[in-house]
Every structure is written in C-alpha cells, then in structure tokens.
Amino acid sequence: MGLTSAHWGVYEFAVKNGKITEMKPFSEDPDPSPIGPSIVDLLDDPMRITAPAVRESWLNDGPGSAPEKRGSDPFIRVGWDEAEKLVASELDRVRRTHGNQAIYAGSYGWASAGRFHHAQSQVHRFLNCLGGYTKSKNTYSYAAAEVIIPHVLGGNLMEILTRQTSWQSVCGNTGLMVAFGGLPAFNAQISNGGTGAHIQRTGVREAAAKGTRFVNLSPRRSDVKHDIDEDWIQLRPNTDVAVMLAMCHTLLAEGLHDQAFLDRYTTGFDRFSAYLRGASDGTPKTAHWAASISGMAAEDILTLTRQMAAERTMLTVSWSLTRQQFGEQPFWAVVALAAMIGDMGKPGGGVGFGYTITNYLGNNVFKMPYAPLPQGQNAVSDFIPVARVSDMLLGPGQPFDYDGQQYLYPDIDLVYWAGGNPFHHHQDLARMRLAWQKPSTVIVNEWCWNAVARHADIVLPCTTTLERTDIGMTPRDPYVISMDKAVEPAGEARDDYEIFAAIARRLGVEEAFTEGRNADEWQRWIWDQSRAAAAEIDVEMPDYEAFRQAGHYKSPALDDDRIFLSEFFADPVGAPLATPSGRIELFSQTVADFGYDDCPGHPSWMEPIEWMGAAEKRYPLHMLSNQPRTKLHSQMDNGAHSRSIKIDGHEPIEINPEDAAARGLKDGDIVRVFNDRGSCLCGAVITDHVMPGVVVVSTGSWYDPIDRAARDSMCKHGNPNLLSPDIGTSKLGQGPAAHSCLAEIELYDGPAVTITAFDPPEIKSRPA
Ligand SMILES: Nc1nc2c(c(=O)[nH]1)N[C@H]1C(S)=C(S)[C@@H](COP(=O)(O)OP(=O)(O)OC[C@H]3O[C@@H](n4cnc5c(=O)[nH]c(N)nc54)[C@H](O)[C@@H]3O)O[C@H]1N2
Ligand SMILES: Nc1nc2c(c(=O)[nH]1)N[C@H]1C(S)=C(S)[C@@H](COP(=O)(O)OP(=O)(O)OC[C@H]3O[C@@H](n4cnc5c(=O)[nH]c(N)nc54)[C@H](O)[C@@H]3O)O[C@H]1N2
Ligand SMILES: [Mo]
C-alpha cells in the first residue's frame, strides 16, 4: 500500500493498472475522517482541468478585454508552450509598465497538504524571484484575533495556538469546560498540513469520563452531543462579548474574582473594571443587561459564573467568534474573563482558543524545527489585510487603516492565484465579481473547474497530491508522512513547481527559482535541513532513505502535559510576555492610542450593524455560515461524500421548527435565502439543533449563478457568500465578518433549476 496525506488525515491506497483501487484510513488513526476517499473518483472526473486554457475574449482581444465576461466566457484550449509564453509576457509587461506591486498574489487558501508542493509557498517563491508582489496578511480563519492577541498576550497567534493546554491536562483536572461556539466535532477532522491521528473526539470523551462537565454557549448545538452529555445554553449570534462582560461583572460584584492573580499577571484591570461597573459609560455590565442583548437568561449567567469561580474552569472560544463585526472583542474578553477567574497557568484551567475546531489544538505535540521551502525576499512592501481584496481592487490609491497605521491600496493590474478559492472564501460575491473586473489579467493554477478557475483569464492545470511525491510535515502534528505518487497526472497537468520553473526559465530566473534542484532533490533538501535542525535540539531523525523506506516518522512525545504560557505563570518577571507591560493587557494603551471607535483600549461591547437585536432589522433571521462537515471548504464539493448530504443537489440549510412553521416550510423544501446583497437556493433541514431566529448554511457549495453573465445572479446551489457582508471586523484587524449577516427565507416557487456547478465550462479547440 502507498501512503498519502491530506488536511483531513492520512490514507493508505492500492493501485492497479494505473488506477487507485482502494483507499483506506491510516492504520494509526483511531478516528479517521470519511472525507478522504472522495478524491479517487475526481482524479479523472469531467471537472478535471487537463490542459491549459485561456478565456476567449482575453485571447482574441488581449489583456483587459471584456472583463465582465469573466465567469461566462468560453475557454480556448492552448498548448503549454503558448500558455507559458502568455503568462511570462504578461508578468513581464505588468512589472515593467506598472511595477511589481501591481501584481496581487496573496493567493490566500488552504491548497493541499505536502510540504514541498504547497502551492502558496511555490507561487510566493516564484514571484519573489521576479521582484515581488503585493501580499496579504493574516487569515480568513481568525484575522481579528491575529491582530488583537499580540497586544494582549504578546507573540504570534498561530504560534500561540500550538502551545494551548493539552487534552492530557484537561482530562482529570478540568471541572467545567465552557465552550463559546460549542465543540463542533466535525471540524476536528481537519488540521492544516495534515494529521496522522485524530484526537479531539477522544479528548472530549475521556475528559467527560473523568468528570469534566461541558457547557455549550451557542446558537447551535455542538456536534459532539451524541458523545457526551453537554448542557446547551442558547445565545444570539454576535453577543458573546456581552455575556463575557456580564460574567466579569458578576465575579467583580460578588467578590469572586482572583485579585492576587490580576495583581501578579495583568495590567489595566482598573480601567477594565471601571467599564464593567459602568463608571466610564454609565452602563453597568450586569447579567440583566447581557440577558437583554444575548437572550441568555440572567439567572443562567449568574449561576454559570458562580460555578466558574468554584470549579477548575477551562474557557474555549470558537474561531467563528472572530469572523464577525468587532471580532477582536471576543478573544480579548475571554482572556479578561479567564484572568478574573484566575485558573490560567493551572492544569486544565484558563483559556483555550478553540478545542475541537481543528485537530491540532490541545495535541501534546513536541514542536519540531521542520524546514520550510525558502521563500526568498519580497521586494514589494505593499500588502492588504487578506479580506480587503475587493476594497483594494475597487479602490486603488485609497487609504485604509490597519493595526494603528494607515496605508494605501495599490493599483492592481494582474492577479495570480494558486491554492485558494476566493469564490469560496470571500464575502459578498456580487461585489467581488465587480472588483474582479479591475485587473487586466487573472492567472489561476487549479486542478478542477471550480469558480476561481472559471473566473480566470489563463488557467494552468496542476496535479493533485496523488499525482506527485511529497513529504507530509508540519510542526503541529507528530506524524511525518512519506507521500507516495499513486497515479500519473491527468492529461497535461503539471506540478505547480514545474509550472513555475518553466515560466521562470522564460523570464531568465530559473536558476534563482530552482537552485538547480528538481522536486525530488528539494524534498531531500527539506528533510536534511529539518534533520540537522532537530539534531541541534538533540532529537534524532532517521536519514532520508530510512524515512522513505519506513513510510512515516513520528516525533517524540512531550514529557509533560502542556499548560498554556506555563513559563510566564511560573515566573512573570523572569519570563515576561511580549507585551509593553510584559503582562496580560486587560487595558492596552497602545490600542487605546490608535483612537479607533470600533476597537477601544479594553474589551468592549459594541452593537453590530446586523444582528438579531438590531433596532431596525431589514431581515429577521441571523444566517451563520459554518464549516462544512463533509469536506474542507470548497474542496471536493463535487465528490460523493459532499454530494451525499445535499438536498436535490442543494446545500442544506438548518432551520428551527418555529421559524419553519411561521413560513409554512417542511423538511426537504427548496428555499430561497436572501437579503439585499444576494440570494441562494438551499434544501430545508428542520431541526431544533439550531435556536429560533437563526439559520445555518455551511460554506463550500460551488458558486453556481442562474445566469452566469449577470454579476448578482442568484446561486442555485447554495453558496452563503452571496449574502454575507464584505466589511472589516474593525480598523484594527480588518478581518472578514461573514457571521454578521441577517437574511430571510421563503419557499422557492420559481422555475425549476438544474445544478450546473459540476459541469465544466465550454472549452473550444482552435480551428486547425
Ligand atoms: N461565509 C463564510 N465564508 C468563509 C468562512 C466562513 O466561516 N463563512 N470561513 C473562511 C475560512 S475560516 C477559510 S480558511 C476560507 C477557506 O478558503 P480557501 O482556503 O480558499 O478554500 P479551499 O476550498 O480550501 O481552497 C483551496 C483551493 O486550492 C485548490 N488546490 C488544492 N490543492 C492544490 C494544489 O496543489 N495546487 C493548486 N494550485 N491548487 C490546489 C483547491 O482545488 C481549492 O480550489 O474560507 C473563508 N470563508
Ligand atoms: N469539516 C471541516 N472542518 C473544518 C473546516 C472545514 O472546512 N470542514 N475548516 C477549518 C478551518 S479553515 C477553520 S478556520 C476552522 C473554523 O472553526 P470554527 O470557526 O469554530 O468553525 P465554524 O464551523 O465556522 O463555527 C463553529 C460554530 O460556532 C458557532 N457560532 C457561530 N457564530 C457564533 C457566535 O456569534 N457566538 C457563538 N457562541 N457561537 C457562534 C456555531 O454554532 C458554529 O457551528 O474549522 C476547521 N475545520
Ligand atoms: Mo479557516
């Protein structure tokens, strides 16, 4: 059997006559994900891109022609030679006439697992060899937290997450785990870079067996409800901060806060507590105040808070809380609440940033110094906060705020994407389609005809992980996987590396890009560099041949159960945090001095524009767009596993029975979900797992407009990003705010529709 690694786990496969005949989970995985095997049917599915293709108007009439036809124009199949020439000459034209900053290649997205063939690493390295590109900062996952947490705890959030208190420390120590956003077990299928063994469900079950009580504060029930007996307390979306502040207020008012902890480890409690008491704004943040905002009963807030003070408590926040307007506040407020409880630094106590929402959180992994593919230097300093992509394209030269400074949006003439799908991840897709008309040229490396490929001018077909050899390696997981090539590339598909090497050759930078190594030699180089770095910290890794022979390598286990920031809590003076005060900042003078009205100097409740309590609501329901349980984002939406839960081909929408009854809807009905920004069709799932007033549509259904030529056409398939707002979380983080979204639903009684998301675009051959 061969081995392969994906963000959803490791799989073994068998091959016969050039086809994969079997794909089964890795023998060491106790809780494998069913997502994996879907890939097998898709390798030579009609949606596979098998040859380079160029949009008809662009090819016939040149760069910038008929940009409004992106997404509806047919494609012309071209040979690699011509495709390479077109891409090389376009990159050259743009950098010479406008400068390298006119190339936008943030290229955000998850691409595939595998350390060498990681598409973003490849595209960034390639463009750095050419003089650089405008980049993006932060992620769609938790951009707001990435910017606020360094002001509160210091350091870098992505790095901090790998140091979260482990499940081993939770089991047997945590009396109460309070999960804002719940414990969505389906999300634990995923870990970026791959995962050898899924541990989250086991973690939850073992903790429950050893006495941890789980409380889910969320508009939606946790997916773990069948495994453990959680208490589910409903609250309105986007109101967690009000509840957290009321909990802080209750601790303060009842003298239950840990003053010694606050004195030793934090700064700014005086300012924060004045706000809690209402001294600074006239509103005490009482349980009754929060109840009127969140819909959670005041009595429940009081009771739960008293339990938190009495028991060893772990608070956890889902990343979804950051993907809403003022998404900086929940992560800051939860740190303040944990500090007042005073369990931080103790086994099983304090705060975790999202148990179960990816597999690596709370995994007791020894962090290995694995080498990345070197990226070189980007000579361009321009950047955007990742979710401001439409703003940038629509507003060249306009100023924007970000983390205390003002910058200008560059004027973009060429967009290059490899390994991400903005028609999956971005909000307000009708607005994005308008913005997408700005550049003269859009180039995309993809393996399937999804929406980002369909909206490109030049499409270069790339391989999937099963068509190349790689190393599955990430410091977040103990398993390093020797990834075998299973089958030959489909059609004329090439590895991203090969694609870039060939274009680099035409632009005279091949040597800089490849350094004379082929893909195999680079993988050996990555291994050897990693092995040398490991030896320096006295960890012995096998040599390259022995690793390839063995199929996988497992890094050593940690000696102790990890406790978040334990060094700091052991010695706050000797091992201070990387904040201005060296302590946890409950008030940040730095943030206060930025003077932002949407991100003050301490955790604060601010009313979002779109939420259930808004005084003037144009639409009555709050639409959440959570992560899909049958896939990763939009990847393999055309596969059997993802299709298995669709309703007449439409994405399901969860609706509470009360809301369904009020609209005369029954299970399985096709409904139109709409607001001012757009609409989509979904299949109704009527369930009391979602609270009244809230509907839930998972992301990931491929954008499938009824009329491909119309920019704001309804998506008949069920993509929620036609409805979500394209606003920044605040001037501080400028993160995406998809979860602040009101909508309405009604029975769809329009003409019958056929889903065409999984039909390839028209591809013409050149007349001979
Ligand atoms: N409404 C709403 N929107 C959201 C969210 C939400 O909660 N609500 N969540 C957001 C979050 S957290 C995230 S992380 C983003 C995710 O957004 P993305 O990461 O952009 O989504 P993916 O579908 O994973 O896109 C990866 C793309 O890479 C391609 N690909 C895979 N392997 C390779 C390869 O080897 N080479 C190349 N060239 N391409 C490859 C895949 O086919 C796919 O098109 O979405 C965000 N969008
Ligand atoms: N199967 C699968 N797993 C995934 C992914 C995937 O695509 N598929 N994507 C991965 C990625 S990239 C990321 S970033 C993580 C994201 O992980 P999360 O951000 O945690 O994931 P979501 O599924 O968007 O949200 C989880 C739950 O948060 C709750 N929620 C939403 N809004 C609010 C709110 O305002 N308050 C409260 N209290 N609860 C709220 C809802 O109940 C929702 O089901 O998931 C990862 N895991
Ligand atoms: Mo994410």
Side-chain angles (χ1 to χ4, degrees), residues 165-173 199 362-364 560-562:
T165 299
S166 66
W167 276 112
Q168 284 83 344
S169 177
V170 167
C171 287
N173 290 310
I199 59 150
N363 198 351
N364 225 26
D560 302 320
D561 300 341
R562 180 184 284 107

Side-chain angles (χ1 to χ4, degrees), residues 20 39-45 48 447 464 466-467 487 490:
I20 298 174
I39 182 79
V40 178
D41 301 332
L42 301 178
L43 292 173
D44 50 10
D45 167 274
R48 193 63 202 270
W447 65 274
T464 66
L466 287 161
E467 296 156 330
V487 294

Side-chain angles (χ1 to χ4, degrees), residues 187 190 217-218 238 240 318 320 323-324 627-628 631 633:
N187 291 22
I190 305 299
L217 296 186
S218 173
N238 294 209
D240 300 75
S318 144
S320 61
R323 298 197 299 280
Q324 49 183 258
Q627 309 297 313
K631 57 185 172 273
H633 314 137

Side-chain angles (χ1 to χ4, degrees), residues 108 110 141 633:
Y108 180 81
W110 271 57
S141 307
H633 314 137

